[in-house]
Amino acid sequence: MKKKLLDAYHEAKYRVLTEPQVCVQVGVSQVVLIDHFFAADSFCIITAYNPLSTKLNDDENKQSNEKLLDQIKQLSDVKVCADTVAQDPNNEWPDERGFLVANLSKEQALQLGRLYQQHAVVWMPSPVYRAELLQCSQS
């Protein structure tokens, strides 16, 4: 992944749309998620927006995200906990809607990321739920 794009992923604020909101940042522990949901094997933030960093219109992005959501709901032992929005503090990228998913394995997260042509997903394994980027693409 190119440095500028990798930096954008690291600088993004991944907001979990709960009350109150949780702000996930790469490299930071998110144990607070247990307070909102439950102790899970992992949490993952994933989207189908803007595949391979190609900016699509809202309708195309929403349609792709609905397909992703339907696919996630078919997985056993996996739970969609909340909607998310990734925000670029430099305003170079539009907000990207996504989902906070509990108990998605690392392999499942990578597979879905690749299927929906994402460069990366945010994965938070237990017990401290430190947010890390899983790079899905080779570009």
Side-chain angles (χ1 to χ4, degrees), residues 46-52 56 64-72 74-75 104 106-121 134-138:
I46 189 165
T47 185
Y49 269 50
N50 303 318
L52 296 179
L56 301 180
S64 292
N65 241 16
E66 284 301 317
K67 288 180 185 175
L68 170 62
L69 181 59
D70 288 342
Q71 195 154 13
I72 292 169
Q74 299 301 314
L75 299 172
L104 198 61
K106 192 175 198 175
E107 294 76 25
Q108 289 170 315
L110 284 166
Q111 183 179 24
L112 286 170
R114 289 180 184 128
L115 182 63
Y116 287 89
Q117 299 182 310
Q118 298 300 302
H119 287 294
V121 298
L134 297 182
Q135 291 189 40
C136 302
S137 70
Q138 301 301 317

Side-chain angles (χ1 to χ4, degrees), residues 5 20 35 42 62 66 88 93-94 102 113-114 119-120 125-126 130:
L5 185 58
D35 296 338
S42 68
K62 286 177 186 176
E66 284 301 317
D88 175 10
W93 286 95
R114 289 180 184 128
H119 287 294
S126 67
R130 184 179 178 273

